[in-house]
Amino acid sequence: ITQSTELGTLYTPDEVRALADQAHGLGLRLHVDGARIANAAAALDLPLRAFTTDAGVDILSLGGTKNGLLYGEAVVVLDPAADGGLAYLRKMDMQLTSKMRFVSAQLVALFEGDLWLRSARHANTMAARLRAGLEGLPGVVLTRPTQANGVFVVLPAAVAQALRRRWRFYDWDVATGEARLMCSFDTTPDDVDELVAAVAAEVGRTVA
């Protein structure tokens, strides 16, 4: 599973525990893709272990790149019995960096204090600010809950086309025009307000 999810939503500790119990009952392991796990911790206002170790997760991908690192993630084996030859798989899958200490130094800097949490809280706050700015604009439809650092929205086609002259954003569903707008550790309030103002201006010009 992914926490937070690709849709910007969150699993509660109870939900993770239910999935872990189901997996374990079938002889499987539960792996959490935690590329944005800091955003989940910030949104849930819980320590990481509350929805990983304490919820029965076996292996965790501890994210760094999406929370400010230049490069690097860590695979954390929470249940030693779930190792399954990971040290060998790491090399076979070309995931052994020759200068690993440089990657590790970034993770230490991120997680030894509260930088990881402050950065994630900021990203989540910027997403909430973006959603609030877009709500109520004519023709703009917010399609999913904003629980972490992502905002999903359908913009009028002409508005989206005009915005793309300056901003790049991801088409989540080309068929419906749904876009995924992600806020990060370095998104500023000015960035958000500038985008909202541009959307409002284009909506004013193109939506009757």
Side-chain angles (χ1 to χ4, degrees), residues 80-116:
D83 181 294
L86 188 62
Y88 299 98
L89 290 171
R90 178 178 63 171
K91 296 182 73 171
M92 290 173 60
D93 293 338
M94 303 178 69
Q95 295 300 313
L96 183 61
T97 305
S98 61
K99 302 298 185 290
M100 185 67 76
R101 62 188 180 278
F102 296 128
V103 179
S104 301
Q106 295 180 84
L107 287 164
V108 170
L110 186 64
F111 285 101
E112 69 179 352
D114 68 346
L115 177 60
W116 66 278

Side-chain angles (χ1 to χ4, degrees), residues 3 13 16-17 20 30 32 37 47-58 60 78:
Q3 175 80 309
V16 176
R17 168 55 71 182
L30 181 62
V32 170
I37 199 164
L48 290 173
R49 70 171 299 129
F51 52 92
T52 56
T53 307
D54 294 346
V57 172
D58 299 297
L60 167 68
L78 301 173

Side-chain angles (χ1 to χ4, degrees), residues 126-168:
M126 292 301 98
R129 185 187 187 100
L130 177 58
R131 183 185 183 93
L134 295 176
E135 282 180 331
L137 292 179
V140 175
V141 180
L142 292 156
T143 54
R144 304 178 192 274
T146 300
Q147 296 181 345
N149 64 320
V151 177
F152 287 76
V153 62
V154 173
L155 301 168
V159 172
Q161 183 177 359
L163 291 173
R164 282 194 166 91
R165 298 181 190 130
R166 183 172 179 186
W167 284 278
R168 295 180 63 185

Side-chain angles (χ1 to χ4, degrees), residues 54-82:
D54 294 346
V57 172
D58 299 297
I59 298 179
L60 167 68
S61 300
L62 186 63
T65 306
K66 294 183 178 179
N67 201 25
L69 298 195
L70 291 174
Y71 172 74
E73 314 286 315
V75 177
V76 183
V77 180
L78 301 173
D79 179 0

